[in-house]
Amino acid sequence: AGAPRPEGTTLDSISLAPYFEDPDRPSLREWLYADAFFSPQGVRSGGYAVRDERYKLMRLREQTELFDVEADIGETTNLLADGISEAEQAKIDSLQRIADTLHDSGAHRTEID
């Protein structure tokens, strides 16, 4: 946009231009994260999603869902609907560690003034 970057900030972005040229290009990131705030208490009370190449863990309004985005691109089948297998629990734990690390890093505000 041409605006100056504030001093002391770190850019955490990757250009999408190479993916327009080659949509099958492997991702340069191991995981993706997104969050949404629904209350003034911050990220831990809001919703968030974290995913790796194959699985997506979503937490929204006290509900946790796990999707195999490789097999279910439309995210129509919550793998946790019929209980949690050991493999699913391991995947949840792995993705949750990523989200917890981000939440604890100070990269997100935990309270709104």
Side-chain angles (χ1 to χ4, degrees):
R5 183 175 60 162
E7 220 174 286
T9 59
T10 302
L11 292 180
D12 181 22
S13 60
I14 294 174
S15 173
L16 296 177
Y19 297 99
F20 294 128
E21 294 171 13
D22 180 9
D24 295 324
R25 176 188 177 114
S27 176
L28 298 173
R29 295 190 183 259
E30 293 180 28
W31 50 265
L32 300 172
Y33 175 86
D35 59 37
F37 299 103
F38 296 105
S39 73
Q41 285 74 40
V43 69
R44 291 199 186 272
S45 66
Y48 60 88
V50 61
R51 67 162 285 184
D52 61 16
E53 186 176 343
R54 182 166 180 182
Y55 293 95
K56 179 178 182 181
L57 177 70
M58 290 179 52
R59 181 87 171 137
L60 183 60
R61 295 186 177 95
E62 305 296 321
Q63 177 147 350
T64 302
E65 298 179 335
L66 181 68
F67 298 99
D68 180 344
V69 293
E70 187 176 283
D72 178 18
I73 195 166
E75 298 174 16
T76 60
T77 304
N78 177 7
L79 298 176
L80 307 181
D82 296 330
I84 302 172
S85 70
E86 268 187 55
E88 290 165 341
Q89 187 63 57
K91 183 46 65 178
I92 290 169
D93 293 345
S94 171
L95 292 171
Q96 189 64 57
R97 274 192 298 277
I98 293 167
D100 289 345
T101 298
L102 288 170
H103 296 165
D104 294 339
S105 73
H108 292 82
R109 291 181 58 187
T110 56
E111 295 181 31
I112 295 177
D113 298 327

